[in-house]
Amino acid sequence: MNKPASAPAAALQEASRLASQGRLPQAAQLLRQHLQAQPGDALAWQMLGLMHLMSSQWPDAASALEQSAALNGQDARTWAMLGVACSQQGRVQQAISHFDAAVALAPADAALWCDRGRALHAAQRLEEALASADRALSLNPAQPAAWLLRGNTLRDLRRLPEAVQSLQQAARLAPADALHWHALAAALEDGRQFENALACARRGLAVAPRHSGLWVSRGNAEMALDQPQPAAASYEQACQCDPGNADAWVGRSRALFKLGEDKQALDCLEKGVALDDKPPFLAELMRYRQKQARWDDLPALWARVLAQLDEHNAYSMAFPMLAHPGATGADLLRSARACVAAERAKLPHPLPARPKPPEPVPAPAAGRPLRVGYLSGDLRDHAVSYLLAGVFEAHDRSAFRVIGIDACAKAVSDTPMRRRVLAAFDESIALGRCTPEEAASRIRALRLDVLIDLMGATGDGQAGVPLLRPAPLQVTWLGFPGTSGMDEIDYILADRHVAPPGSEGEFSECVVRLPDTFQPNDSQRAISPAVPTRASQGLPESGFVFCCHNSTYKVLPGMFDIWMRLLHRVPGSVLWLVNDGEHVRANLRAQAARRGIDGGRLVFAERCAYGDYLARYRLADLFLDTLPFNAGTTASDALWAGLPVLTQTGRSFAGRMAASLLHAVGLPELVTQTADEYEALALRLATHAQELAALRQRLNQQGRASALFDTARLTRHLEQALLTMCQRQQQGLPPQGFDVPALPAA
């Protein structure tokens, strides 16, 4: 005959029975009643803590479990549950100490070592977390949670091949757990194994078709593989599964923008930012509102973006910030440093603040040419190649060996420009879809003297390569018009206009000023011989044509106000802009109408072949530049074609580019300092035909012979800059800014 249970034991049994039925509040109430009579019952306190854990009542759980531990400090399970309660409250260090106590009492319990590792991982004590995961696996190699922990920790340590192996093992052991497939897809994406990441996301969705995160991973892989149509569908599925997933909405917006569905894309981006207004999303929203001329509430958005520049999760902010009207050079440096912090977090952990550069190769004094590597994802039909092709060809091969490092991860058309650029290098390598670590290793093997980064924040997945110091000297130039924010980049190539004396504090690099202009130009670029008619471009046969073929995101309300006043004061005039899509045209015409100007006086130019685009400039009368982000390549294109450019000098490198070009081409009088000066000069030139004609004649007579278009001259100045940098280093001197002396005029 069984003896009846004692009253205390019966209470605990009944509480357990209620919990097994999911009646947690009733179980907790029964335990509290029991503890009023038996406050010294450690097991009852432990059970009450468990009830609160199961109900996600973390503070109550911690309180009950602390009582249990105080009464019986030898129960490993109590310490482990207390660690869980603290972890859920963000009390990570306390959680770790509790898990330490648990494994000290039960060192053979693999699950406890795994719990401890998760707490260490949350505290970013990654090496300790990895050791804890390894201890758990030594005790129980068939524990999926430990393999997951190990894989996630290795991923954070940027040991990606090992991370993938661990996460694959977790998925093999528990293939029905979507968490494992999601983590594996993310690790494969980090390793730029996008085909494998896509296959992994599909496997996960086969077992968990409503998993929003897996749909996002699938969309990310499809976007990386240049498949925007299926990516848009994947992100849409993610949004349907979890309408509160900000990454899903932002990812969907990116795919839709790629597909040209701009209006719907912006709506999706607005929803994503409403859910999560982290700095990169805000900056993206700012850029695309500007790109679509959606100027409602733009000042408030500008203020929000500027207020968050110091956030660490600021990857992708640097480029949109160039067109922020309130940003100073100092603000852009802060933005760049925030982006670098995000890039640094993606690299092997821990990464030194300034990795030691490779040992310099033997001094070139021995007669060896300097080995100069150009890193770019734009060795194709792109502005960077249009500007630099002639420089690559003009290098003095007796003193320089020129090496191309192609960082474009996507398929590139075999165009005449691409063939020309690649043929200009003495040797070249293609990085493809390798990781920054792999890219740095391949660049290091080239034994460069100098690496010139032509990408900066525009880098196609390789923006972090210079952080790994693959060359003893590193220089940023041209691709990104401003500071990189990287201490690992030693120099920036500039001039006295884009980086005037006193502006050195706006740059993380030492400033090297070329004597004429920072911008190279190819003196061989061909203009189509046939000039189109005005009628073929939708322009009036007579009447003044103001022109701005800058991207629409550079066109901001303040400058647009000036342009509309010019149209009002110059009868019969039109404004010739770039056609950035149906919605952009409609928005800009609506903005013109609000300012009392017939929207029909805005004419939009279609995209066309480069030579035809250059010829088209001959139909315009005056190019009106934008601020705070000036025309760069576009301005030199217009000047090459013989069209005068009017600019206003801004407060940053990007806002001073056109001033540099106009001084180099011999038209400094077209550089204004204030908005009033800009508007007054534009009006005078539009209403004084002889003055404008004289400027145009000067440009056509001497422009192509000017320093701006003297490719060989700029190349010699560049080479002198590189020699000076290397000589300083060979002498053991640290990087230091300097001005390159000008060669005698031709």
Side-chain angles (χ1 to χ4, degrees):
M1 182 175 178
N2 294 329
K3 295 174 63 176
S6 65
L12 299 187
Q13 288 175 3
E14 178 62 12
S16 181
R17 185 184 70 81
L18 291 168
S20 68
Q21 296 174 352
R23 299 164 64 186
L24 299 178
Q26 293 89 334
Q29 179 60 28
L30 182 59
L31 289 167
R32 282 192 291 269
Q33 291 172 356
H34 167 72
L35 285 166
Q36 287 179 351
Q38 300 286 339
D41 189 338
L43 180 58
W45 283 112
Q46 185 195 74
M47 287 184 66
L48 180 60
L50 177 60
M51 299 303 109
H52 289 313
L53 283 180
M54 294 170 69
S55 302
S56 300
Q57 297 170 341
W58 316 120
D60 291 339
S63 179
L65 291 165
E66 285 167 355
Q67 290 284 352
S68 181
L71 293 166
N72 177 15
Q74 299 304 305
D75 190 323
R77 188 170 180 236
T78 299
W79 290 111
M81 288 193 291
L82 187 52
V84 171
C86 290
S87 293
Q88 293 292 341
Q89 296 177 80
R91 295 158 54 190
V92 179
Q93 299 304 327
Q94 290 172 281
I96 293 170
S97 67
H98 296 325
F99 286 124
D100 285 343
V103 297
L105 291 167
D109 190 326
L112 293 182
W113 284 103
C114 188
D115 288 341
R116 176 179 181 268
R118 277 194 287 263
L120 289 163
H121 183 264
Q124 287 297 293
R125 290 164 58 176
L126 299 179
E127 294 291 352
E128 295 172 85
L130 182 60
S132 200
D134 286 340
R135 181 67 179 272
L137 290 168
S138 71
L139 295 166
N140 180 8
Q143 187 180 187
W147 285 110
L148 177 65
L149 168 64
R150 188 175 194 272
N152 285 335
T153 305
L154 287 166
R155 180 189 172 204
D156 286 351
L157 288 166
R158 308 310 292 175
R159 292 163 56 180
L160 294 176
E162 296 170 85
V164 167
Q165 290 174 358
S166 292
L167 293 168
Q168 286 172 333
Q169 182 65 7
R172 277 192 291 267
L173 290 168
D177 192 333
L179 188 64
H180 301 152
W181 295 110
H182 191 204
L184 178 55
L188 290 165
E189 186 181 336
D190 285 355
R192 301 178 69 76
Q193 298 182 47
F194 299 119
E195 292 91 346
N196 291 338
L198 179 56
C200 181
R202 287 172 174 160
R203 286 284 303 274
L205 288 166
V207 298
R210 299 288 299 169
H211 194 291
S212 179
L214 278 167
W215 281 112
V216 170
S217 292
R218 177 170 169 163
N220 291 345
E222 288 163 337
M223 282 293 286
L225 293 169
D226 201 21
Q227 300 172 12
Q229 193 78 51
S234 294
Y235 290 127
E236 184 176 6
Q237 286 289 335
C239 294
Q240 290 176 2
C241 294
D242 179 10
N245 187 334
D247 290 327
W249 288 106
V250 174
R252 188 179 174 196
S253 76
R254 292 168 180 163
L256 290 169
F257 277 124
K258 186 86 172 175
L259 292 167
E261 301 287 343
D262 289 358
K263 186 176 186 303
Q264 188 181 0
L266 189 54
D267 290 341
C268 289
L269 186 53
E270 298 272 8
K271 290 177 181 176
V273 171
L275 292 165
D276 185 350
D277 65 347
K278 59 187 174 186
F281 291 176
L282 278 178
E284 201 163 343
L285 178 60
M286 176 187 77
R287 184 182 183 195
Y288 280 107
R289 277 196 187 170
Q290 291 175 189
K291 181 177 172 59
Q292 289 195 38
R294 282 267 300 271
W295 296 337
D296 48 306
D297 300 325
L298 204 48
L301 181 57
W302 285 332
R304 289 170 70 192
V305 169
L306 203 58
Q308 296 195 39
L309 278 186
D310 291 321
E311 298 288 338
H312 292 299
N313 59 340
Y315 175 67
S316 83
M317 280 187 76
F319 196 83
M321 283 302 300
L322 297 176
H324 191 301
T328 63
D331 291 327
L332 296 179
L333 175 59
R334 290 163 54 217
S335 172
R337 288 200 181 280
C339 295
V340 169
E343 282 294 332
R344 197 182 299 278
K346 299 178 181 180
L347 297 174
H349 184 90
L351 183 70
R354 188 181 175 91
K356 183 180 178 182
E359 291 296 322
V361 288
R368 178 187 59 78
L370 276 180
R371 293 178 63 82
V372 179
Y374 287 96
L375 173 65
S376 177
D378 301 315
L379 303 178
R380 51 192 172 91
D381 285 358
H382 186 276
V384 167
S385 290
Y386 292 142
L387 294 176
L388 272 170
V391 171
F392 297 150
E393 294 165 340
H395 266 301
D396 178 0
R397 262 42 186 197
S398 68
F400 294 87
R401 185 163 180 83
V402 185
I403 302 163
I405 305 166
D406 185 359
C408 187
K410 298 174 183 175
V412 179
S413 299
D414 183 25
T415 63
M417 175 54 71
R418 180 164 172 81
R419 290 195 295 272
R420 179 187 170 193
V421 168
L422 293 180
F425 297 123
D426 298 306
E427 57 184 287
S428 62
I429 63 170
L431 298 179
R433 290 200 189 106
C434 63
T435 64
E437 298 94 309
E438 293 165 341
S441 177
R442 294 186 62 191
I443 295 170
R444 200 170 284 116
L446 295 172
R447 302 277 288 163
L448 300 176
D449 294 288
V450 185
L451 174 66
I452 301 179
D453 178 16
L454 299 172
M455 299 188 296
T458 68
D460 184 12
Q462 301 295 356
V465 169
L467 289 170
L468 294 165
R469 269 284 177 181
L473 277 176
Q474 301 191 141
V475 179
T476 185
W477 188 33
L478 194 64
F480 181 78
T483 182
S484 69
M486 293 186 191
D487 292 332
E488 292 80 6
I489 291 186
D490 304 291
Y491 295 99
I492 183 170
L493 292 174
D495 61 45
R496 61 192 171 91
H497 301 288
V498 293
S503 68
E504 289 81 2
E506 300 173 8
F507 302 91
S508 59
E509 311 85 357
C510 296
V511 177
V512 173
R513 297 183 180 91
L514 300 177
D516 301 319
T517 178
F518 79 99
Q519 189 193 81
N521 275 282
D522 177 22
S523 58
Q524 299 181 44
R525 53 182 149 187
I527 301 178
S528 297
V531 179
T533 64
R534 278 194 168 194
S536 71
Q537 304 300 307
L539 298 169
E541 289 299 331
S542 61
F544 197 89
V545 177
F546 294 105
C547 168
C548 180
H549 285 176
N550 288 353
S551 294
T552 307
Y553 72 86
K554 294 184 179 183
V555 177
L556 300 183
M559 189 62 73
F560 195 76
D561 288 342
I562 293 175
W563 295 350
M564 294 304 99
R565 288 196 293 270
L566 290 171
L567 292 185
H568 178 74
R569 299 178 71 180
V570 182
S573 63
V574 296
L575 176 62
W576 197 16
L577 302 170
V578 169
N579 183 2
D580 270 335
E582 175 187 351
H583 297 291
V584 178
R585 294 198 307 270
N587 288 339
L588 284 170
R589 283 175 169 152
Q591 293 290 349
R594 291 180 190 176
R595 292 159 175 80
I597 297 296
D598 179 1
R601 294 176 69 184
L602 272 56
V603 181
F604 294 91
E606 301 295 335
R607 308 281 179 179
C608 62
Y610 188 60
D612 295 337
Y613 148 78
L614 291 174
R616 205 163 56 185
Y617 277 123
R618 291 172 170 166
L619 302 177
D621 295 298
L622 180 65
F623 188 108
L624 297 174
D625 195 17
T626 50
L627 199 72
F629 196 167
N630 283 176
T633 309
T634 312
S636 58
D637 285 340
L639 293 168
W640 177 255
L643 176 63
V645 174
L646 174 65
T647 192
Q648 179 187 339
T649 301
R651 299 187 293 172
S652 67
F653 188 120
R656 305 174 186 129
M657 293 190 295
S660 169
L661 307 182
L662 287 164
H663 277 86
V665 85
L667 295 176
E669 60 266 54
L670 290 177
V671 179
T672 63
Q673 301 303 315
T674 68
D676 288 343
E677 289 178 13
Y678 174 97
E679 183 173 355
L681 182 52
L683 180 62
R684 191 170 83 235
L685 293 174
T687 54
H688 291 73
Q690 289 183 336
E691 184 175 351
L692 180 59
L695 282 171
R696 193 157 195 155
Q697 184 178 14
R698 275 172 54 199
L699 178 59
N700 285 312
Q701 287 178 345
Q702 66 190 44
R704 293 197 179 185
S706 68
L708 179 61
F709 298 119
D710 191 337
T711 308
R713 177 180 172 84
L714 181 134
T715 306
R716 300 290 86 80
H717 287 148
L718 167 65
E719 290 173 341
Q720 185 56 56
L722 298 176
L723 287 168
T724 303
M725 295 173 194
C726 290
Q727 287 166 0
R728 284 190 61 83
Q729 192 204 41
Q730 293 293 344
Q731 295 166 11
L733 299 173
Q736 178 178 309
F738 58 91
D739 292 357
V740 176
L743 291 167

